Structures are given as structure tokens and as C-alpha cells.
Short mmCIF file of all heavy atoms in Angstrom, two decimals:
data_model
loop_
_atom_site.label_atom_id
_atom_site.label_comp_id
_atom_site.label_asym_id
_atom_site.label_seq_id
_atom_site.Cartn_x
_atom_site.Cartn_y
_atom_site.Cartn_z
N TYR A 8 5.38 -7.14 -3.10
CA TYR A 8 4.61 -5.92 -2.89
C TYR A 8 5.51 -4.80 -2.43
O TYR A 8 6.51 -5.07 -1.75
CB TYR A 8 3.52 -6.14 -1.87
CG TYR A 8 2.36 -6.97 -2.33
CD1 TYR A 8 2.44 -8.34 -2.41
CD2 TYR A 8 1.18 -6.37 -2.79
CE1 TYR A 8 1.41 -9.13 -2.90
CE2 TYR A 8 0.12 -7.15 -3.21
CZ TYR A 8 0.25 -8.49 -3.28
OH TYR A 8 -0.79 -9.25 -3.75
N ALA A 9 5.17 -3.57 -2.77
CA ALA A 9 5.96 -2.39 -2.38
C ALA A 9 5.01 -1.41 -1.67
O ALA A 9 3.84 -1.32 -2.07
CB ALA A 9 6.61 -1.73 -3.56
N ILE A 10 5.54 -0.71 -0.70
CA ILE A 10 4.71 0.29 -0.01
C ILE A 10 4.44 1.45 -0.92
O ILE A 10 5.27 1.97 -1.61
CB ILE A 10 5.49 0.79 1.23
CG1 ILE A 10 5.57 -0.36 2.28
CG2 ILE A 10 4.75 1.96 1.90
CD1 ILE A 10 6.41 -0.01 3.50
N ASP A 11 3.15 1.86 -0.92
CA ASP A 11 2.71 3.05 -1.62
C ASP A 11 2.51 4.13 -0.56
O ASP A 11 1.46 4.25 0.06
CB ASP A 11 1.35 2.70 -2.31
CG ASP A 11 0.76 3.90 -3.02
OD1 ASP A 11 1.33 4.96 -3.00
OD2 ASP A 11 -0.36 3.72 -3.61
N ARG A 12 3.55 4.92 -0.37
CA ARG A 12 3.53 5.89 0.67
C ARG A 12 2.48 6.97 0.52
O ARG A 12 1.91 7.49 1.48
CB ARG A 12 4.92 6.56 0.79
CG ARG A 12 6.01 5.54 1.25
CD ARG A 12 7.21 6.18 1.79
NE ARG A 12 8.30 5.23 2.00
CZ ARG A 12 8.35 4.44 3.07
NH1 ARG A 12 7.42 4.46 3.97
NH2 ARG A 12 9.37 3.59 3.19
N ARG A 13 2.19 7.33 -0.74
CA ARG A 13 1.20 8.41 -0.96
C ARG A 13 -0.22 7.98 -0.47
O ARG A 13 -1.03 8.80 -0.11
CB ARG A 13 1.11 8.73 -2.44
CG ARG A 13 2.31 9.51 -2.95
CD ARG A 13 2.14 9.96 -4.40
NE ARG A 13 1.84 8.80 -5.23
CZ ARG A 13 0.96 8.82 -6.24
NH1 ARG A 13 0.25 9.85 -6.52
NH2 ARG A 13 0.80 7.73 -6.99
N ASN A 14 -0.52 6.69 -0.46
CA ASN A 14 -1.84 6.22 -0.13
C ASN A 14 -1.80 5.55 1.25
O ASN A 14 -2.81 4.92 1.64
CB ASN A 14 -2.39 5.29 -1.15
CG ASN A 14 -2.69 6.05 -2.45
OD1 ASN A 14 -3.46 7.03 -2.40
ND2 ASN A 14 -2.15 5.59 -3.54
N SER A 15 -0.71 5.62 1.98
CA SER A 15 -0.64 5.05 3.30
C SER A 15 -0.97 6.13 4.33
O SER A 15 -0.93 7.31 4.07
CB SER A 15 0.75 4.50 3.57
OG SER A 15 1.03 3.43 2.73
N SER A 16 -1.27 5.69 5.57
CA SER A 16 -1.60 6.67 6.66
C SER A 16 -0.95 6.17 7.93
O SER A 16 -0.23 5.17 7.94
CB SER A 16 -3.12 6.76 6.83
OG SER A 16 -3.64 5.55 7.40
N ARG A 17 -1.18 6.82 9.00
CA ARG A 17 -0.65 6.38 10.29
C ARG A 17 -1.17 5.04 10.75
O ARG A 17 -0.48 4.29 11.40
CB ARG A 17 -0.96 7.45 11.36
CG ARG A 17 -0.16 8.73 11.22
CD ARG A 17 -0.45 9.70 12.31
NE ARG A 17 -0.30 9.04 13.61
CZ ARG A 17 -0.70 9.60 14.74
NH1 ARG A 17 -1.24 10.81 14.75
NH2 ARG A 17 -0.53 8.98 15.88
N ARG A 18 -2.37 4.74 10.35
CA ARG A 18 -3.04 3.49 10.79
C ARG A 18 -3.05 2.36 9.77
O ARG A 18 -3.44 1.24 10.09
CB ARG A 18 -4.46 3.80 11.26
CG ARG A 18 -4.50 4.77 12.39
CD ARG A 18 -5.75 4.56 13.16
NE ARG A 18 -5.81 5.51 14.30
CZ ARG A 18 -5.56 5.13 15.52
NH1 ARG A 18 -5.18 3.93 15.80
NH2 ARG A 18 -5.63 6.02 16.49
N SER A 19 -2.73 2.67 8.54
CA SER A 19 -2.73 1.63 7.54
C SER A 19 -1.63 1.89 6.48
O SER A 19 -1.22 2.97 6.26
CB SER A 19 -4.12 1.57 6.82
OG SER A 19 -4.34 2.81 6.14
N VAL A 20 -1.22 0.77 5.88
CA VAL A 20 -0.17 0.80 4.85
C VAL A 20 -0.75 0.30 3.54
O VAL A 20 -1.38 -0.78 3.53
CB VAL A 20 1.04 -0.07 5.29
CG1 VAL A 20 2.08 -0.08 4.19
CG2 VAL A 20 1.61 0.41 6.58
N ALA A 21 -0.67 1.09 2.48
CA ALA A 21 -1.09 0.65 1.18
C ALA A 21 0.15 -0.01 0.51
O ALA A 21 1.28 0.47 0.59
CB ALA A 21 -1.55 1.82 0.33
N MET A 22 -0.13 -1.21 -0.05
CA MET A 22 0.99 -1.93 -0.73
C MET A 22 0.49 -2.36 -2.11
O MET A 22 -0.61 -2.85 -2.27
CB MET A 22 1.40 -3.14 0.10
CG MET A 22 1.90 -2.67 1.50
SD MET A 22 2.80 -3.95 2.37
CE MET A 22 4.34 -4.05 1.42
N LYS A 23 1.33 -2.13 -3.11
CA LYS A 23 1.04 -2.42 -4.51
C LYS A 23 1.91 -3.55 -5.04
O LYS A 23 3.10 -3.69 -4.65
CB LYS A 23 1.20 -1.24 -5.40
CG LYS A 23 0.18 -0.18 -5.20
CD LYS A 23 0.46 0.96 -6.18
CE LYS A 23 -0.64 1.99 -6.17
NZ LYS A 23 -0.42 3.09 -7.16
N HIS A 24 1.33 -4.32 -5.98
CA HIS A 24 2.13 -5.41 -6.65
C HIS A 24 2.14 -5.02 -8.11
O HIS A 24 1.19 -4.34 -8.62
CB HIS A 24 1.45 -6.76 -6.38
CG HIS A 24 2.33 -7.90 -6.76
ND1 HIS A 24 2.43 -8.33 -8.05
CD2 HIS A 24 3.13 -8.67 -6.00
CE1 HIS A 24 3.27 -9.37 -8.08
NE2 HIS A 24 3.70 -9.58 -6.88
N THR A 25 3.11 -5.47 -8.82
CA THR A 25 3.20 -5.22 -10.28
C THR A 25 2.02 -5.86 -11.04
O THR A 25 1.74 -5.46 -12.13
CB THR A 25 4.53 -5.68 -10.88
OG1 THR A 25 4.68 -7.07 -10.58
CG2 THR A 25 5.71 -4.89 -10.33
N ASN A 26 1.34 -6.85 -10.45
CA ASN A 26 0.24 -7.51 -11.11
C ASN A 26 -1.05 -6.64 -10.97
O ASN A 26 -2.11 -7.10 -11.45
CB ASN A 26 0.03 -8.94 -10.58
CG ASN A 26 -0.46 -8.95 -9.13
OD1 ASN A 26 -0.81 -7.95 -8.52
ND2 ASN A 26 -0.50 -10.16 -8.57
N GLY A 27 -0.95 -5.53 -10.31
CA GLY A 27 -2.13 -4.65 -10.18
C GLY A 27 -2.84 -4.71 -8.80
O GLY A 27 -3.66 -3.91 -8.50
N ASP A 28 -2.49 -5.74 -8.03
CA ASP A 28 -3.08 -5.82 -6.67
C ASP A 28 -2.71 -4.60 -5.86
O ASP A 28 -1.58 -4.11 -5.91
CB ASP A 28 -2.49 -7.04 -5.89
CG ASP A 28 -3.38 -8.27 -5.96
OD1 ASP A 28 -4.49 -8.18 -6.55
OD2 ASP A 28 -2.97 -9.31 -5.44
N LYS A 29 -3.66 -4.15 -5.09
CA LYS A 29 -3.38 -3.06 -4.13
C LYS A 29 -4.05 -3.50 -2.83
O LYS A 29 -5.27 -3.63 -2.73
CB LYS A 29 -3.93 -1.72 -4.58
CG LYS A 29 -3.64 -0.60 -3.58
CD LYS A 29 -4.12 0.77 -4.12
CE LYS A 29 -3.83 1.84 -3.14
NZ LYS A 29 -4.32 3.16 -3.61
N LEU A 30 -3.23 -3.71 -1.80
CA LEU A 30 -3.70 -4.15 -0.50
C LEU A 30 -3.53 -3.05 0.54
O LEU A 30 -2.50 -2.30 0.53
CB LEU A 30 -2.92 -5.38 -0.07
CG LEU A 30 -2.90 -6.58 -0.99
CD1 LEU A 30 -2.10 -7.73 -0.38
CD2 LEU A 30 -4.28 -7.04 -1.39
N ILE A 31 -4.49 -2.93 1.44
CA ILE A 31 -4.42 -2.05 2.53
C ILE A 31 -4.21 -2.91 3.80
O ILE A 31 -5.01 -3.85 4.06
CB ILE A 31 -5.69 -1.19 2.71
CG1 ILE A 31 -6.01 -0.44 1.42
CG2 ILE A 31 -5.54 -0.26 3.92
CD1 ILE A 31 -4.93 0.55 0.99
N VAL A 32 -3.14 -2.65 4.53
CA VAL A 32 -2.79 -3.48 5.68
C VAL A 32 -2.89 -2.63 6.99
O VAL A 32 -2.46 -1.48 6.96
CB VAL A 32 -1.35 -4.00 5.55
CG1 VAL A 32 -0.93 -4.85 6.74
CG2 VAL A 32 -1.18 -4.77 4.25
#
């Protein structure tokens, strides 16, 4: 997974995988 900085915020990190998964941590 890689960090998606455009969709991250101070309280959560968006992370994307090449398989299409997008997780909010």
C-alpha cells in the first residue's frame, strides 16, 4: 500500500493498493 496524500488528513491516512483497495487508517 502507498499513502494517498491528497485524500489524507491530520487524523487519518488514506492508503491505496494497486489491486484497487483504498484503506483509511
Side-chain angles (χ1 to χ4, degrees):
Y8 287 80
I10 293 176
D11 176 0
R12 296 199 187 281
R13 288 186 305 138
N14 291 306
S15 296
S16 70
R17 288 181 52 191
R18 299 202 180 260
S19 64
V20 177
M22 300 194 73
K23 288 184 175 180
H24 195 277
T25 56
N26 69 7
D28 263 356
K29 181 176 180 182
L30 306 181
I31 305 298
V32 179

